[in-house]
Amino acid sequence: MPPPAAAAEQLSTLDGTVGCTWVINELPLPAGWSAGYVYNSDRHDSFAGYGVDVDGRTRPLVWHDGDVTVLAAPGGVGAVAQDVNSHGDVVGATQDVDTPTHGVLWRGGQVIDLPLLPGGGFAVPTAINDAGLIVGYAAGGETSHAVAWSANSPQSIQDLGVMAGSAYLTDVTQQGAVVGWTETAGEEFRQQAIAGTVREGLTTLPGPVPGTNSVARAAAGPYIVGSAVLTGGSEDLGSAVVWAPTGPRALPGTQPNAVNDHGTVVGFDADLGAVIWVGDHEQPLPALAAGYPFSTSATVATNNNTAAGISADAQGHSRPVTWSCTS
């Protein structure tokens, strides 16, 4: 059942974002680079993502206190930084012409390759928390498996299985809760949001409408956000959902990408561009340039009233940005 109105109000007021005027700020890129993207953050003042350099290569980037750092990466084709924790540990993925996508940990000035599953062809880490728990997905035979690594012992990989078809982990909280989804193909395509822990295993998350497709994209504190189908049919995903301690609740709009420890949700709406959800309402976030609101998406919600993501500039190039809350 949906949470009571008081709980719904609490989801977006604990960190004071109600009544904010949001100001957009462009994050720096190295000279001559054409584009950039923010994937995730340490929930405070560090962000991980990538940029496109002067040779057209995708390069991993980290921003901290407004400064940008290009990370060294093996391979010559491309790499991205997927997430960073408050200790400066970064995880990402890299690919070369003759090698499959595999995971990388940047720690203490070292570039550490993360292992694949036995016989696996690829691996993609998606998130890391302050304890060094890394989650993601990796090829295991013909399917994708939910997997975990540890930054403290990165030489091993833990297979969490598939549950059904394939499984993907997309985020991990500071408390060690992991989220993602399972996917089955064939006669009936099916996606189901999942959550759990590495130690205790994974379970499916009930959606607002039982039996419909759902995915979980991000988590923080006791909150999980994602998308779900809100009818009994087989329509495409596209309705925003937040799983709170009181249960799942539908939000207006399409794609929430991130949530912070206070329950503030940000993401993308096909009609509005980048948005923040304030109670049961979407508030559009400003774009860098007029005419490109739909090339703007929020992908990060920090715990200090800042969001981050991308926005197109006047030339239509994607730029990494933050949004700051002012009264």
Short mmCIF file of all heavy atoms in Angstrom, two decimals, residues 189-245:
data_model
loop_
_atom_site.label_atom_id
_atom_site.label_comp_id
_atom_site.label_asym_id
_atom_site.label_seq_id
_atom_site.Cartn_x
_atom_site.Cartn_y
_atom_site.Cartn_z
N PHE A 189 8.89 -11.14 -22.17
CA PHE A 189 9.96 -10.35 -21.56
C PHE A 189 9.52 -9.92 -20.17
O PHE A 189 8.41 -9.44 -19.97
CB PHE A 189 10.26 -9.13 -22.43
CG PHE A 189 11.31 -8.23 -21.86
CD1 PHE A 189 12.64 -8.60 -21.88
CD2 PHE A 189 10.96 -7.00 -21.33
CE1 PHE A 189 13.62 -7.76 -21.37
CE2 PHE A 189 11.93 -6.15 -20.82
CZ PHE A 189 13.26 -6.54 -20.85
N ARG A 190 10.42 -10.08 -19.19
CA ARG A 190 10.06 -9.80 -17.81
C ARG A 190 11.23 -9.17 -17.08
O ARG A 190 12.37 -9.64 -17.18
CB ARG A 190 9.67 -11.11 -17.11
CG ARG A 190 9.32 -10.97 -15.64
CD ARG A 190 7.85 -10.63 -15.45
NE ARG A 190 7.44 -10.79 -14.07
CZ ARG A 190 7.02 -9.80 -13.29
NH1 ARG A 190 6.97 -8.57 -13.77
NH2 ARG A 190 6.64 -10.02 -12.06
N GLN A 191 10.98 -8.07 -16.38
CA GLN A 191 11.96 -7.45 -15.52
C GLN A 191 11.37 -7.32 -14.12
O GLN A 191 10.20 -6.98 -13.97
CB GLN A 191 12.37 -6.07 -16.04
CG GLN A 191 13.19 -6.12 -17.32
CD GLN A 191 13.55 -4.73 -17.82
OE1 GLN A 191 12.69 -3.88 -17.95
NE2 GLN A 191 14.82 -4.50 -18.09
N GLN A 192 12.22 -7.57 -13.11
CA GLN A 192 11.76 -7.52 -11.73
C GLN A 192 12.81 -6.86 -10.86
O GLN A 192 13.97 -7.29 -10.82
CB GLN A 192 11.48 -8.93 -11.21
CG GLN A 192 11.01 -8.99 -9.77
CD GLN A 192 9.63 -8.37 -9.58
OE1 GLN A 192 8.67 -8.81 -10.21
NE2 GLN A 192 9.53 -7.36 -8.72
N ALA A 193 12.43 -5.80 -10.15
CA ALA A 193 13.35 -5.12 -9.24
C ALA A 193 13.76 -6.06 -8.12
O ALA A 193 12.95 -6.85 -7.62
CB ALA A 193 12.69 -3.87 -8.67
N ILE A 194 15.05 -5.98 -7.71
CA ILE A 194 15.57 -6.82 -6.65
C ILE A 194 16.34 -5.97 -5.65
O ILE A 194 16.81 -4.88 -5.96
CB ILE A 194 16.49 -7.94 -7.19
CG1 ILE A 194 17.65 -7.36 -8.01
CG2 ILE A 194 15.70 -8.95 -8.00
CD1 ILE A 194 18.67 -8.40 -8.46
N ALA A 195 16.47 -6.50 -4.43
CA ALA A 195 17.25 -5.85 -3.39
C ALA A 195 17.72 -6.92 -2.42
O ALA A 195 17.24 -8.06 -2.43
CB ALA A 195 16.41 -4.80 -2.66
N GLY A 196 18.69 -6.57 -1.60
CA GLY A 196 19.21 -7.52 -0.61
C GLY A 196 20.58 -7.11 -0.14
O GLY A 196 20.95 -5.94 -0.18
N THR A 197 21.35 -8.09 0.29
CA THR A 197 22.74 -7.87 0.69
C THR A 197 23.60 -8.99 0.12
O THR A 197 23.09 -10.06 -0.23
CB THR A 197 22.91 -7.84 2.21
OG1 THR A 197 22.66 -9.14 2.75
CG2 THR A 197 21.98 -6.82 2.86
N VAL A 198 24.89 -8.74 0.06
CA VAL A 198 25.81 -9.76 -0.44
C VAL A 198 25.79 -10.98 0.47
O VAL A 198 25.84 -12.12 0.02
CB VAL A 198 27.23 -9.18 -0.56
CG1 VAL A 198 28.25 -10.27 -0.86
CG2 VAL A 198 27.26 -8.10 -1.64
N ARG A 199 25.70 -10.75 1.76
CA ARG A 199 25.75 -11.86 2.71
C ARG A 199 24.45 -12.65 2.74
O ARG A 199 24.46 -13.89 2.77
CB ARG A 199 26.06 -11.33 4.12
CG ARG A 199 26.06 -12.40 5.21
CD ARG A 199 26.49 -11.82 6.54
NE ARG A 199 27.87 -11.37 6.49
CZ ARG A 199 28.49 -10.83 7.54
NH1 ARG A 199 27.83 -10.66 8.70
NH2 ARG A 199 29.75 -10.45 7.44
N GLU A 200 23.30 -11.97 2.73
CA GLU A 200 22.02 -12.64 2.91
C GLU A 200 21.32 -12.99 1.61
O GLU A 200 20.32 -13.71 1.62
CB GLU A 200 21.11 -11.78 3.79
CG GLU A 200 21.67 -11.56 5.19
CD GLU A 200 20.81 -10.63 6.02
OE1 GLU A 200 19.77 -10.16 5.50
OE2 GLU A 200 21.17 -10.37 7.18
N GLY A 201 21.80 -12.47 0.48
CA GLY A 201 21.21 -12.79 -0.80
C GLY A 201 20.21 -11.76 -1.27
O GLY A 201 19.96 -10.74 -0.62
N LEU A 202 19.60 -12.04 -2.42
CA LEU A 202 18.73 -11.10 -3.11
C LEU A 202 17.30 -11.60 -3.12
O LEU A 202 17.05 -12.80 -3.20
CB LEU A 202 19.21 -10.90 -4.55
CG LEU A 202 20.67 -10.47 -4.72
CD1 LEU A 202 21.06 -10.52 -6.19
CD2 LEU A 202 20.89 -9.07 -4.14
N THR A 203 16.35 -10.67 -3.05
CA THR A 203 14.94 -10.99 -3.17
C THR A 203 14.28 -9.98 -4.10
O THR A 203 14.81 -8.89 -4.34
CB THR A 203 14.23 -10.93 -1.80
OG1 THR A 203 14.36 -9.62 -1.25
CG2 THR A 203 14.82 -11.95 -0.84
N THR A 204 13.11 -10.32 -4.60
CA THR A 204 12.39 -9.40 -5.47
C THR A 204 11.67 -8.34 -4.64
O THR A 204 11.28 -8.58 -3.50
CB THR A 204 11.36 -10.15 -6.33
OG1 THR A 204 10.46 -10.87 -5.48
CG2 THR A 204 12.07 -11.14 -7.26
N LEU A 205 11.51 -7.17 -5.24
CA LEU A 205 10.81 -6.07 -4.60
C LEU A 205 9.37 -6.02 -5.12
O LEU A 205 9.15 -6.05 -6.33
CB LEU A 205 11.48 -4.73 -4.91
CG LEU A 205 12.77 -4.40 -4.18
CD1 LEU A 205 13.41 -3.16 -4.78
CD2 LEU A 205 12.51 -4.18 -2.70
N PRO A 206 8.39 -5.93 -4.26
CA PRO A 206 7.01 -5.79 -4.74
C PRO A 206 6.81 -4.41 -5.35
O PRO A 206 7.22 -3.40 -4.79
CB PRO A 206 6.18 -5.96 -3.47
CG PRO A 206 7.08 -5.50 -2.37
CD PRO A 206 8.47 -5.89 -2.79
N GLY A 207 6.19 -4.36 -6.52
CA GLY A 207 5.89 -3.10 -7.16
C GLY A 207 4.56 -2.54 -6.69
O GLY A 207 3.80 -3.21 -5.99
N PRO A 208 4.24 -1.30 -7.08
CA PRO A 208 2.93 -0.75 -6.74
C PRO A 208 1.78 -1.56 -7.29
O PRO A 208 0.71 -1.62 -6.69
CB PRO A 208 2.97 0.65 -7.36
CG PRO A 208 4.42 0.97 -7.49
CD PRO A 208 5.09 -0.32 -7.77
N VAL A 209 2.00 -2.21 -8.45
CA VAL A 209 0.99 -3.09 -9.05
C VAL A 209 1.59 -4.48 -9.16
O VAL A 209 2.57 -4.68 -9.89
CB VAL A 209 0.56 -2.58 -10.44
CG1 VAL A 209 -0.45 -3.53 -11.06
CG2 VAL A 209 -0.02 -1.17 -10.34
N PRO A 210 1.08 -5.47 -8.42
CA PRO A 210 1.66 -6.81 -8.45
C PRO A 210 1.66 -7.40 -9.86
O PRO A 210 0.74 -7.18 -10.65
CB PRO A 210 0.73 -7.60 -7.53
CG PRO A 210 0.09 -6.58 -6.64
CD PRO A 210 -0.06 -5.35 -7.49
N GLY A 211 2.75 -8.12 -10.17
CA GLY A 211 2.83 -8.85 -11.42
C GLY A 211 3.30 -8.06 -12.61
O GLY A 211 3.37 -8.58 -13.71
N THR A 212 3.65 -6.79 -12.42
CA THR A 212 4.10 -5.96 -13.54
C THR A 212 5.62 -5.80 -13.50
O THR A 212 6.27 -6.07 -12.50
CB THR A 212 3.44 -4.58 -13.51
OG1 THR A 212 3.73 -3.95 -12.26
CG2 THR A 212 1.93 -4.69 -13.67
N ASN A 213 6.19 -5.35 -14.62
CA ASN A 213 7.63 -5.17 -14.72
C ASN A 213 8.11 -4.01 -13.85
O ASN A 213 7.42 -3.01 -13.67
CB ASN A 213 8.02 -4.88 -16.17
CG ASN A 213 7.95 -6.12 -17.04
OD1 ASN A 213 7.86 -7.23 -16.54
ND2 ASN A 213 7.99 -5.94 -18.35
N SER A 214 9.35 -4.15 -13.33
CA SER A 214 9.93 -3.09 -12.53
C SER A 214 11.45 -3.22 -12.55
O SER A 214 11.99 -4.31 -12.76
CB SER A 214 9.43 -3.13 -11.08
OG SER A 214 9.78 -4.36 -10.47
N VAL A 215 12.15 -2.11 -12.34
CA VAL A 215 13.61 -2.10 -12.18
C VAL A 215 13.95 -1.14 -11.05
O VAL A 215 13.26 -0.15 -10.83
CB VAL A 215 14.35 -1.67 -13.46
CG1 VAL A 215 14.07 -2.61 -14.61
CG2 VAL A 215 14.01 -0.23 -13.84
N ALA A 216 15.01 -1.46 -10.29
CA ALA A 216 15.55 -0.57 -9.26
C ALA A 216 16.87 -0.02 -9.76
O ALA A 216 17.76 -0.78 -10.15
CB ALA A 216 15.73 -1.32 -7.95
N ARG A 217 17.01 1.30 -9.75
CA ARG A 217 18.21 1.93 -10.32
C ARG A 217 19.17 2.45 -9.26
O ARG A 217 20.38 2.50 -9.49
CB ARG A 217 17.82 3.08 -11.25
CG ARG A 217 17.12 2.64 -12.51
CD ARG A 217 17.03 3.79 -13.53
NE ARG A 217 16.37 3.34 -14.74
CZ ARG A 217 15.07 3.45 -14.96
NH1 ARG A 217 14.29 3.99 -14.03
NH2 ARG A 217 14.53 3.02 -16.07
N ALA A 218 18.66 2.91 -8.13
CA ALA A 218 19.54 3.55 -7.15
C ALA A 218 18.96 3.39 -5.76
O ALA A 218 17.75 3.16 -5.59
CB ALA A 218 19.73 5.02 -7.49
N ALA A 219 19.84 3.54 -4.75
CA ALA A 219 19.41 3.40 -3.37
C ALA A 219 20.29 4.26 -2.47
O ALA A 219 21.46 4.50 -2.76
CB ALA A 219 19.46 1.94 -2.92
N ALA A 220 19.70 4.71 -1.36
CA ALA A 220 20.45 5.44 -0.33
C ALA A 220 19.63 5.37 0.95
O ALA A 220 18.40 5.50 0.92
CB ALA A 220 20.69 6.89 -0.73
N GLY A 221 20.32 5.16 2.08
CA GLY A 221 19.59 5.03 3.33
C GLY A 221 18.52 3.96 3.21
O GLY A 221 18.78 2.87 2.68
N PRO A 222 17.28 4.24 3.61
CA PRO A 222 16.21 3.24 3.49
C PRO A 222 15.42 3.33 2.19
O PRO A 222 14.39 2.68 2.05
CB PRO A 222 15.32 3.58 4.69
CG PRO A 222 15.43 5.06 4.81
CD PRO A 222 16.86 5.40 4.42
N TYR A 223 15.88 4.14 1.24
CA TYR A 223 15.10 4.42 0.04
C TYR A 223 15.70 3.75 -1.20
O TYR A 223 16.92 3.65 -1.35
CB TYR A 223 15.01 5.93 -0.21
CG TYR A 223 14.44 6.68 0.96
CD1 TYR A 223 15.28 7.39 1.81
CD2 TYR A 223 13.08 6.67 1.23
CE1 TYR A 223 14.77 8.08 2.90
CE2 TYR A 223 12.56 7.35 2.31
CZ TYR A 223 13.41 8.05 3.15
OH TYR A 223 12.90 8.73 4.24
N ILE A 224 14.81 3.33 -2.10
CA ILE A 224 15.18 2.77 -3.40
C ILE A 224 14.32 3.46 -4.44
O ILE A 224 13.13 3.70 -4.21
CB ILE A 224 14.94 1.24 -3.45
CG1 ILE A 224 15.75 0.53 -2.36
CG2 ILE A 224 15.28 0.67 -4.83
CD1 ILE A 224 15.37 -0.93 -2.18
N VAL A 225 14.90 3.79 -5.60
CA VAL A 225 14.12 4.38 -6.67
C VAL A 225 14.31 3.58 -7.96
O VAL A 225 15.34 2.95 -8.17
CB VAL A 225 14.47 5.86 -6.92
CG1 VAL A 225 14.07 6.70 -5.73
CG2 VAL A 225 15.94 6.03 -7.24
N GLY A 226 13.31 3.64 -8.80
CA GLY A 226 13.36 2.95 -10.08
C GLY A 226 12.12 3.23 -10.88
O GLY A 226 11.47 4.28 -10.71
N SER A 227 11.76 2.30 -11.75
CA SER A 227 10.59 2.47 -12.61
C SER A 227 9.76 1.20 -12.59
O SER A 227 10.27 0.11 -12.32
CB SER A 227 11.02 2.78 -14.05
OG SER A 227 11.76 3.98 -14.12
N ALA A 228 8.49 1.35 -12.90
CA ALA A 228 7.60 0.19 -12.93
C ALA A 228 6.42 0.47 -13.84
O ALA A 228 6.06 1.62 -14.09
CB ALA A 228 7.09 -0.15 -11.53
N VAL A 229 5.83 -0.61 -14.32
CA VAL A 229 4.58 -0.52 -15.08
C VAL A 229 3.43 -0.48 -14.08
O VAL A 229 3.38 -1.29 -13.15
CB VAL A 229 4.42 -1.73 -16.03
CG1 VAL A 229 3.07 -1.71 -16.70
CG2 VAL A 229 5.53 -1.69 -17.08
N LEU A 230 2.53 0.47 -14.24
CA LEU A 230 1.45 0.65 -13.28
C LEU A 230 0.11 0.15 -13.78
O LEU A 230 -0.94 0.54 -13.29
CB LEU A 230 1.34 2.14 -12.91
CG LEU A 230 2.60 2.76 -12.29
CD1 LEU A 230 2.34 4.20 -11.91
CD2 LEU A 230 3.07 1.96 -11.10
N THR A 231 0.15 -0.73 -14.77
CA THR A 231 -1.08 -1.38 -15.24
C THR A 231 -0.86 -2.88 -15.24
O THR A 231 0.26 -3.36 -15.05
CB THR A 231 -1.44 -0.93 -16.67
OG1 THR A 231 -0.45 -1.45 -17.58
CG2 THR A 231 -1.48 0.58 -16.78
N GLY A 232 -1.90 -3.63 -15.46
CA GLY A 232 -1.78 -5.07 -15.48
C GLY A 232 -1.34 -5.61 -16.82
O GLY A 232 -1.20 -6.82 -16.98
N GLY A 233 -1.09 -4.74 -17.79
CA GLY A 233 -0.69 -5.19 -19.12
C GLY A 233 0.81 -5.33 -19.25
O GLY A 233 1.54 -5.43 -18.27
N SER A 234 1.29 -5.32 -20.49
CA SER A 234 2.72 -5.54 -20.76
C SER A 234 3.36 -4.29 -21.36
O SER A 234 4.27 -4.39 -22.16
CB SER A 234 2.88 -6.72 -21.71
OG SER A 234 2.17 -6.49 -22.92
N GLU A 235 2.87 -3.10 -20.99
CA GLU A 235 3.41 -1.88 -21.54
C GLU A 235 4.88 -1.70 -21.12
O GLU A 235 5.35 -2.32 -20.18
CB GLU A 235 2.60 -0.66 -21.06
CG GLU A 235 1.21 -0.56 -21.68
CD GLU A 235 0.20 -1.41 -20.94
OE1 GLU A 235 0.61 -2.15 -20.03
OE2 GLU A 235 -0.99 -1.33 -21.27
N ASP A 236 5.59 -0.83 -21.84
CA ASP A 236 6.98 -0.55 -21.51
C ASP A 236 7.08 0.09 -20.13
O ASP A 236 6.14 0.70 -19.63
CB ASP A 236 7.61 0.38 -22.55
CG ASP A 236 7.76 -0.29 -23.89
OD1 ASP A 236 7.79 -1.54 -23.95
OD2 ASP A 236 7.84 0.45 -24.89
N LEU A 237 8.30 -0.04 -19.52
CA LEU A 237 8.54 0.65 -18.27
C LEU A 237 8.47 2.16 -18.48
O LEU A 237 8.69 2.65 -19.56
CB LEU A 237 9.92 0.28 -17.73
CG LEU A 237 10.15 -1.20 -17.39
CD1 LEU A 237 11.57 -1.40 -16.91
CD2 LEU A 237 9.16 -1.67 -16.35
N GLY A 238 8.17 2.91 -17.44
CA GLY A 238 8.17 4.34 -17.62
C GLY A 238 7.53 5.13 -16.52
O GLY A 238 7.44 6.34 -16.61
N SER A 239 7.07 4.50 -15.46
CA SER A 239 6.48 5.24 -14.35
C SER A 239 7.43 5.22 -13.16
O SER A 239 7.96 4.17 -12.79
CB SER A 239 5.13 4.63 -13.95
OG SER A 239 4.21 4.75 -15.01
N ALA A 240 7.67 6.39 -12.57
CA ALA A 240 8.61 6.49 -11.46
C ALA A 240 8.05 5.83 -10.21
O ALA A 240 6.85 5.91 -9.93
CB ALA A 240 8.91 7.96 -11.19
N VAL A 241 8.95 5.20 -9.44
CA VAL A 241 8.57 4.52 -8.21
C VAL A 241 9.64 4.77 -7.16
O VAL A 241 10.84 4.77 -7.46
CB VAL A 241 8.41 3.00 -8.42
CG1 VAL A 241 8.18 2.28 -7.10
CG2 VAL A 241 7.27 2.71 -9.37
N VAL A 242 9.21 5.00 -5.91
CA VAL A 242 10.12 5.01 -4.78
C VAL A 242 9.67 3.94 -3.80
O VAL A 242 8.49 3.83 -3.48
CB VAL A 242 10.19 6.40 -4.10
CG1 VAL A 242 8.83 6.88 -3.63
CG2 VAL A 242 11.17 6.39 -2.95
N TRP A 243 10.62 3.10 -3.38
CA TRP A 243 10.37 2.14 -2.33
C TRP A 243 10.87 2.75 -1.03
O TRP A 243 12.08 2.96 -0.85
CB TRP A 243 11.09 0.83 -2.59
CG TRP A 243 10.51 -0.02 -3.68
CD1 TRP A 243 9.57 -1.00 -3.55
CD2 TRP A 243 10.84 0.01 -5.08
NE1 TRP A 243 9.30 -1.58 -4.77
CE2 TRP A 243 10.06 -0.97 -5.72
CE3 TRP A 243 11.73 0.77 -5.84
CZ2 TRP A 243 10.15 -1.22 -7.09
CZ3 TRP A 243 11.81 0.55 -7.21
CH2 TRP A 243 11.03 -0.44 -7.82
N ALA A 244 9.96 3.07 -0.11
CA ALA A 244 10.29 3.65 1.19
C ALA A 244 10.05 2.58 2.25
O ALA A 244 9.52 1.49 1.96
CB ALA A 244 9.43 4.88 1.44
N PRO A 245 10.42 2.84 3.50
CA PRO A 245 10.16 1.84 4.54
C PRO A 245 8.70 1.45 4.66
O PRO A 245 8.39 0.34 5.12
CB PRO A 245 10.65 2.55 5.82
CG PRO A 245 11.72 3.47 5.34
CD PRO A 245 11.25 3.96 4.00
#
